[in-house]
Amino acid sequence: QVQLQESGPGLVKPWQTLSLTCTVSGASMSAGLYYWGWIRQPPGKDLEWMGVVSYSGSTYYSPSLKSRRSIFRDLPTNQFTLQLLSVAPEHPAVYYCAASKLLLLGAPEKTLYASWGQGTQVLVSS
């Protein structure tokens, strides 16, 4: 069974770049069996789908993030990374990485995914 673990800084300064990595175990990303995505949940708000990367490197992003985001995968290390530019002070959240067997665009519901990470909280403060 595929398992996911997020890692990254728990605190970033406003308008800095946030970089989070998801380490995959129990499955090889290069096998092409899953899509690898990122979802976040701000305090008191709904889950927000951010984007996804395929094993081939194709990416799909939420339009709300505009060009401030990128997701890329590193097949040799079995990891994929989210980079979010200019994190606003009002955007703390818990960030989750997730694996799905289908390409899920704009769908943050946990039940649709084969596996989720435990989540990592990111605070934004100077």
Side-chain angles (χ1 to χ4, degrees), residues 7 9 12 21-22 40 45-46 51 57 72 107 112 116 118:
S7 60
V12 295
T21 295
C22 184
R40 68 181 175 184
K45 297 186 178 181
D46 294 333
F72 53 90
L112 297 175
W116 273 54
Q118 292 185 334

Side-chain angles (χ1 to χ4, degrees), residues 1-18:
Q1 182 178 358
V2 59
Q3 295 182 322
L4 308 172
Q5 179 64 59
E6 305 90 348
S7 60
L11 176 67
V12 295
K13 293 183 178 180
W15 314 116
Q16 285 194 336
T17 296
L18 171 65

